[in-house]
Amino acid sequence: MLTLDDDDGPLYLRLYRRLRGLILDGSWETGTKLPSSRTLSEELGVSRNTALHALEMLIADGLVQARQGSAIYVTAAAPKPTDLDRHPSLSRHRKPVPFEVGWHTAEFFPLDKWDRLQSKIPAEARSASLYGSGPGGWPELRQAIASYAGAARGLSVSADQVVIVSNTQSALDLVIRLLAEPNDEIWMEDPGYPIAQDLLRLNQLTLVPVPVDGEGLNVQSGSRQAPAARFAYVTPACQFPTGRVMSAGRRAEILDWASANRAWVIEDDWEWHAHFGKGGAPRPLASLPGGERVLFLQTFNRTIFPALRIAFLIAPPDLAIKLAELSHRIAGEPSVPTQAALAEFLERGLYAAHLRATRAAYAERRSVLLNELRSLPPGFEPHADRAGLHLVIGTPSGVDDSELAADLRSKGIECSGISEFSTGNACERGLILGFAAFTPQQILKPARRLVRHLQALYPHGRR
Amino acid sequence: MLTLDDDDGPLYLRLYRRLRGLILDGSWETGTKLPSSRTLSEELGVSRNTALHALEMLIADGLVQARQGSAIYVTAAAPKPTDLDRHPSLSRHRKPVPFEVGWHTAEFFPLDKWDRLQSKIPAEARSASLYGSGPGGWPELRQAIASYAGAARGLSVSADQVVIVSNTQSALDLVIRLLAEPNDEIWMEDPGYPIAQDLLRLNQLTLVPVPVDGEGLNVQSGSRQAPAARFAYVTPACQFPTGRVMSAGRRAEILDWASANRAWVIEDDWEWHAHFGKGGAPRPLASLPGGERVLFLQTFNRTIFPALRIAFLIAPPDLAIKLAELSHRIAGEPSVPTQAALAEFLERGLYAAHLRATRAAYAERRSVLLNELRSLPPGFEPHADRAGLHLVIGTPSGVDDSELAADLRSKGIECSGISEFSTGNACERGLILGFAAFTPQQILKPARRLVRHLQALYPHGRR
């Protein structure tokens, strides 16, 4: 019987370390079949998602391999610990394979222009940028973001409401450290974004899973479950992972709730740029009446390149000062020369041009994928109307999307099930396929394999 | 009677905001004399240092001005709030003036070579660097730091013990978030580094001030006050602010204590590079027997340029993995292209050359300053034998170094008193003068003014 140490850290890491230990110390020899994610989940009382995550990390380490359906076997018989210890911690990000979720590409980024931007920054500012910025970030970047947020997202804010941080996690971390007490309740979209959830748990918040439906987070359900929650975390521009856009009605409801309860709505402007239909993403909550209860987060790490490490947070002026001060006291601002370059990138219109170019490329990749999916078995429905850098395929009722995704992964087709991101039970089912990081050429073959597999599994469909 | 709101944030910020509010809302008109730091300290029960810090922020804002001795007057009669609200938060770092403490210069940094480094990174690595690094940082940089820490500091570590972070505060924040419980005790050097203290208080640790003497932190005193403390924070290479180097005896004592009590010694390798005598800084605690209880922090932000935002932490392997994972979950790693450039900078020997060049320049600045201080009144003793980028001038007994420093500041000579960094009472007294950020030309005049002022104040010395 497997047990988990009373160790710290999130469950999936504890499970991963435990399993890795059993392989490295030779308890499980080469060829040993690992317990399935279902067994691990039942024996240890962890979620399927947690078990899958831990198993995937072992696969990434090369310690185990998926064979025959979803069965996973030990491949490495206690290799030298020194080599292995090095592996998980001393690595670049591996390249994603189709259709892994959460990746985008930097191949369209005009790196040559970017490199030349430093030389276009006035010498005095360049030299000043070496010495750092005050709290909140480099003034020129805060100003450029305020202008851009106005033009692109209809947000009317001044530069001192903009706080520059490294990524949306660090923004969330600041907000929680400034405003929350341990065990404060926060509404979380269910299904929802696991990285944000992990960070909120790390900060000892109580997560209240609120179901997402066709209109986004169900505010009435949240109000019933936890009317006095202090926070709500939402992705209204493009809900992760369903790709739904929050309806106008729900937008008004959540702002009314926040205003009546003096709660804070944390609006993660996730994939606002990945709307492929007409009109783009609707205006953010932060720009609507009642928006003074909204803390708005947006990242450049998913539109420029992941390692840039610049995101921003927009807050009411008094709170923005406090968040900027707190950030300054802890990690400080991100690399200032990089901030200065980004300010130039925005001001010269290079960012807008880059977004247009990537959106066109992503739209092509998406339509190549959609085209290959025309012959899915009945009951499998690609939702071309949704937003985001992954495509959602609705699965027939009665099909367990997480099991199906695990099965496909074991056959070398990377994808995820929506319910893998759910902590509750009632959640839309479907497969999600990331497409943004793969060329049309890279998409074609695995898309065809996916269709063939599903056709073989469900020859007459399943409705 | 002035009171402080029951607001969050450190005291000096709360006091600053309160005073600023009184000026901006017109309660205190132009010409109003502010309460002295002593009065503020007594009325509000805050330390003199806190009051001074708040007043200095108001001076930096241009809202008040020091005139006639140390008296401070309101200069701005309620200017338009929009302009002012912008001012403190939307600013570059102002330029330091002699002899402000805590500044160094980037003027010797080979910016042109640095800019060209990106083009020397192999295309594949450059492109991979856009996608980020795994937990812990860019592998090439971790490797380069492990080699460099071996060569420069005698630390024998592998790359996976190196965790790349933004600055020493964020390293400290990670350590505390991983290892500490609220109210855990930590030994802090007294006098000591206020930015680290602020961060530790933010994380709800209980700070135990342990006196610093000629050999560094007095371990026996720490053992008497808080034998079971879980942490000790020390700057053994160059104690802040006294510039003392921890003796070999004390190094052995603190490691013995940590090992016997399973405590963690957090070794901030502060100004290890600023030893101007023969031999450089002694080997760090982390390299000595018992070093497995040491977490070692060093920053590049004070040797390359402040806005670089790269520092590192060295920990035992199992802890390094956890710290790297935690960092990855929160803020993630610093800008990866910058990490890649720094790896090249280290590997090509450019860093070592840069350190040699800056050390030579700093040594010159220091000797120019020392030379001007030859005619100080009796009892004022420049300590040429100490390390660091500021010079310590011992003050005669009976002189309150903080009051003297405030008096000098009010006359336009920026400097600090050692006791301003002390939370206790028994602490060495002296003036400290930063010299690294100022050219010999910039140093001469204010040094002469300082000498003249002290000569006028103490015409016959004071012993």
Side-chain angles (χ1 to χ4, degrees):
Chain A
M1 173 83 188
L2 201 62
T3 54
L4 286 185
D5 299 340
D6 190 21
D7 198 1
D8 41 19
L11 271 175
Y12 72 89
L13 281 177
R14 288 164 58 189
L15 179 56
Y16 159 71
R17 283 198 213 105
R18 178 84 178 96
L19 298 176
R20 187 161 161 270
L22 288 167
I23 297 167
L24 291 185
D25 72 11
S27 305
W28 286 352
E29 292 178 359
T30 306
T32 304
K33 186 180 170 191
L34 264 68
S36 70
S37 60
R38 179 182 296 260
T39 309
L40 287 170
S41 150
E42 284 166 3
E43 277 200 16
L44 298 168
V46 302
S47 77
R48 284 289 295 283
N49 200 21
T50 296
L52 284 165
H53 200 145
L55 291 173
E56 277 163 16
M57 287 177 75
L58 293 173
I59 293 175
D61 283 350
L63 287 173
V64 302
Q65 214 171 20
R67 285 191 304 219
Q68 305 164 346
S70 59
I72 290 177
Y73 294 83
V74 175
T75 46
K80 273 178 276 167
T82 46
D83 292 337
L84 264 160
D85 272 346
R86 191 154 300 188
H87 180 78
S89 61
L90 200 65
S91 60
R92 295 178 182 167
H93 265 305
R94 62 189 169 74
K95 290 204 171 156
V97 295
F99 301 100
E100 269 188 271
V101 170
W103 295 81
H104 74 104
T105 181
E107 73 197 277
F108 307 109
F109 181 65
L111 192 55
D112 50 339
K113 283 185 186 152
W114 175 261
D115 283 345
R116 285 197 301 270
L117 280 178
Q118 290 289 2
S119 65
K120 299 199 172 154
I121 299 168
E124 202 205 351
R126 180 86 209 276
S127 150
S129 80
L130 300 184
Y131 288 92
S133 64
W138 185 241
E140 283 82 347
L141 180 58
R142 298 175 84 187
Q143 193 65 63
I145 288 174
S147 308
Y148 191 78
R153 303 298 282 128
L155 279 162
S156 169
V157 295
S158 64
D160 52 7
Q161 291 180 258
V162 177
V163 179
I164 313 288
V165 292
S166 306
N167 56 13
T168 45
Q169 283 115 278
S170 56
L172 199 52
D173 195 51
L174 281 180
V175 167
I176 297 304
R177 287 175 83 163
L178 182 70
L179 297 174
E181 302 289 331
N183 305 317
D184 273 356
E185 289 176 319
I186 180 165
W187 294 2
M188 280 300 303
E189 296 169 333
D190 183 17
Y193 188 48
I195 293 176
Q197 292 175 6
D198 174 51
L199 190 88
L200 295 166
R201 284 203 195 92
L202 185 70
N203 279 294
Q204 297 174 282
L205 291 211
T206 299
L207 276 57
V208 179
V210 179
V212 167
D213 59 27
E215 295 189 69
L217 179 132
N218 188 321
V219 179
Q220 290 194 6
S221 168
S223 297
R224 272 194 306 273
Q225 286 184 75
R230 285 207 61 198
F231 304 93
Y233 169 88
V234 284
T235 51
C238 172
Q239 203 273 331
F240 183 92
T242 64
R244 304 273 197 184
V245 179
M246 191 182 253
S247 70
R250 291 281 171 80
R251 284 169 191 260
E253 277 178 44
I254 197 165
L255 290 172
D256 283 349
W257 166 78
S259 157
N261 292 279
R262 300 192 58 73
W264 292 107
V265 177
I266 301 170
E267 175 174 33
D268 183 343
D269 204 24
W270 175 260
E271 293 189 351
W272 63 279
H273 61 292
H275 279 247
F276 300 99
K278 279 178 193 141
R283 285 179 54 164
L285 294 171
S287 73
L288 303 178
E292 60 280 356
R293 301 302 304 173
V294 178
L295 302 163
F296 176 88
L297 323 180
Q298 199 188 89
T299 185
F300 291 105
N301 302 328
R302 283 184 64 81
T303 52
I304 294 187
F305 53 83
L308 179 73
R309 300 293 166 191
I310 300 185
F312 65 91
L313 184 159
I314 288 176
D318 55 333
L319 210 54
I321 289 182
K322 291 184 186 180
L323 289 163
E325 280 168 356
L326 184 64
S327 175
H328 198 68
R329 287 162 71 194
I330 304 173
E333 296 67 38
S335 161
V336 183
T338 309
Q339 288 187 59
L342 179 55
E344 289 289 320
F345 194 68
L346 282 162
E347 297 259 302
R348 289 169 186 265
L350 293 169
Y351 184 56
H354 171 61
L355 282 181
R356 277 195 301 275
T358 50
R359 186 152 39 217
Y362 293 158
E364 186 200 358
R365 291 165 181 207
R366 190 169 179 270
S367 70
V368 165
L369 177 58
L370 276 166
N371 190 50
E372 290 305 316
L373 298 179
R374 280 173 312 173
S375 42
L376 283 171
F380 287 88
E381 251 186 277
H383 292 300
D385 57 323
R386 301 204 191 159
L389 297 185
H390 59 245
L391 193 73
V392 176
I393 304 177
T395 41
S397 64
V399 169
D400 181 326
D401 56 349
S402 297
E403 271 180 32
L404 177 56
D407 184 32
L408 290 165
R409 285 197 293 267
S410 76
K411 295 189 171 80
I413 302 166
E414 283 297 324
C415 63
S416 298
I418 286 184
S419 65
E420 291 179 61
F421 300 97
S422 174
T423 53
N425 299 307
C427 124
E428 175 184 8
R429 299 289 169 138
L431 295 175
I432 58 181
L433 310 183
F435 58 79
F438 316 106
T439 63
Q441 275 310 318
Q442 289 171 316
I443 286 172
L444 284 175
K445 227 191 204 167
R448 285 171 193 164
R449 287 188 59 215
L450 171 71
V451 171
R452 277 202 308 275
H453 270 298
L454 293 179
Q455 283 170 343
L457 283 168
Y458 304 101
H460 312 292
R462 182 156 170 185
R463 275 226 116 105
Chain B
M1 173 84 188
L2 202 63
T3 53
L4 286 186
D5 299 340
D6 191 20
D7 199 0
D8 42 18
L11 270 175
Y12 71 90
L13 281 177
R14 289 165 57 190
L15 178 56
Y16 158 71
R17 282 199 215 105
R18 179 82 179 97
L19 299 176
R20 187 162 162 269
L22 288 167
I23 297 167
L24 291 185
D25 71 12
S27 305
W28 287 352
E29 292 178 359
T30 306
T32 305
K33 187 179 170 190
L34 264 67
S36 70
S37 60
R38 179 182 296 260
T39 310
L40 287 170
S41 150
E42 285 167 2
E43 277 199 16
L44 298 168
V46 302
S47 76
R48 283 289 294 283
N49 200 21
T50 296
L52 284 165
H53 201 145
L55 291 172
E56 276 163 16
M57 287 177 76
L58 291 173
I59 294 176
D61 283 351
L63 287 173
V64 304
Q65 215 171 19
R67 284 191 305 218
Q68 307 165 345
S70 60
I72 291 177
Y73 293 84
V74 175
T75 46
K80 273 177 279 167
T82 45
D83 292 337
L84 265 160
D85 271 346
R86 191 154 299 188
H87 180 79
S89 60
L90 201 65
S91 60
R92 296 178 182 166
H93 266 305
R94 64 191 167 72
K95 290 203 172 154
V97 296
F99 301 99
E100 269 187 271
V101 170
W103 294 81
H104 73 104
T105 181
E107 73 198 276
F108 306 109
F109 181 65
L111 192 55
D112 49 339
K113 283 184 187 153
W114 176 261
D115 283 344
R116 285 198 300 270
L117 281 178
Q118 290 290 2
S119 66
K120 299 197 172 154
I121 299 167
E124 202 204 352
R126 179 85 210 274
S127 149
S129 80
L130 300 184
Y131 288 92
S133 64
W138 186 241
E140 283 82 347
L141 180 58
R142 298 175 83 186
Q143 193 65 62
I145 288 174
S147 308
Y148 191 78
R153 303 299 281 128
L155 279 161
S156 169
V157 295
S158 64
D160 52 7
Q161 290 180 258
V162 177
V163 180
I164 314 288
V165 293
S166 306
N167 56 12
T168 44
Q169 283 116 278
S170 56
L172 200 51
D173 195 51
L174 280 181
V175 167
I176 297 304
R177 287 175 83 163
L178 182 71
L179 297 174
E181 302 289 330
N183 305 317
D184 273 357
E185 289 176 319
I186 180 165
W187 293 2
M188 280 299 302
E189 296 169 333
D190 183 16
Y193 188 47
I195 293 177
Q197 292 175 5
D198 174 52
L199 190 87
L200 295 166
R201 285 204 195 92
L202 184 71
N203 280 295
Q204 297 173 280
L205 291 211
T206 298
L207 276 57
V208 179
V210 179
V212 167
D213 59 27
E215 295 189 68
L217 179 133
N218 188 320
V219 180
Q220 290 194 6
S221 168
S223 297
R224 274 194 305 274
Q225 286 184 74
R230 285 208 61 199
F231 304 93
Y233 170 88
V234 284
T235 51
C238 171
Q239 203 273 331
F240 183 93
T242 65
R244 303 274 197 184
V245 180
M246 191 182 253
S247 70
R250 290 283 170 80
R251 284 170 192 260
E253 278 179 45
I254 197 165
L255 291 172
D256 283 350
W257 165 78
S259 157
N261 291 279
R262 300 193 58 72
W264 292 108
V265 177
I266 303 170
E267 175 174 33
D268 184 342
D269 204 23
W270 175 260
E271 293 188 352
W272 64 278
H273 61 292
H275 280 247
F276 300 101
K278 276 177 195 144
R283 286 178 54 163
L285 295 171
S287 73
L288 303 177
E292 60 281 355
R293 301 301 304 171
V294 178
L295 302 163
F296 177 88
L297 322 181
Q298 199 190 87
T299 185
F300 291 105
N301 302 328
R302 282 185 67 79
T303 51
I304 294 187
F305 54 83
L308 179 74
R309 300 293 166 192
I310 300 184
F312 65 92
L313 185 160
I314 288 176
D318 55 333
L319 210 53
I321 289 182
K322 290 185 185 179
L323 288 163
E325 280 169 356
L326 184 64
S327 176
H328 199 67
R329 287 163 70 195
I330 304 174
E333 297 67 38
S335 160
V336 183
T338 308
Q339 288 188 60
L342 179 55
E344 289 289 319
F345 195 67
L346 282 162
E347 297 260 302
R348 290 169 186 266
L350 293 170
Y351 183 57
H354 172 62
L355 281 181
R356 276 195 302 275
T358 51
R359 186 153 38 218
Y362 293 158
E364 187 200 358
R365 291 166 181 206
R366 190 169 178 270
S367 70
V368 165
L369 177 58
L370 276 166
N371 190 51
E372 289 305 316
L373 298 179
R374 280 174 312 171
S375 41
L376 283 171
F380 286 88
E381 250 186 280
H383 292 299
D385 56 323
R386 301 205 191 160
L389 297 185
H390 60 245
L391 193 74
V392 176
I393 304 178
T395 42
S397 63
V399 169
D400 181 326
D401 57 347
S402 298
E403 271 180 32
L404 177 57
D407 184 32
L408 290 166
R409 284 197 295 266
S410 76
K411 296 189 170 79
I413 302 166
E414 284 297 325
C415 63
S416 299
I418 287 184
S419 64
E420 292 179 61
F421 300 96
S422 173
T423 53
N425 298 307
C427 123
E428 175 183 9
R429 299 290 167 135
L431 294 175
I432 58 181
L433 310 183
F435 57 78
F438 316 106
T439 63
Q441 274 310 318
Q442 290 171 317
I443 285 172
L444 284 176
K445 226 190 205 171
R448 286 171 192 165
R449 287 189 58 215
L450 171 72
V451 172
R452 277 201 307 275
H453 271 298
L454 292 179
Q455 283 171 342
L457 282 168
Y458 304 100
H460 312 293
R462 182 156 171 186
R463 276 224 116 105

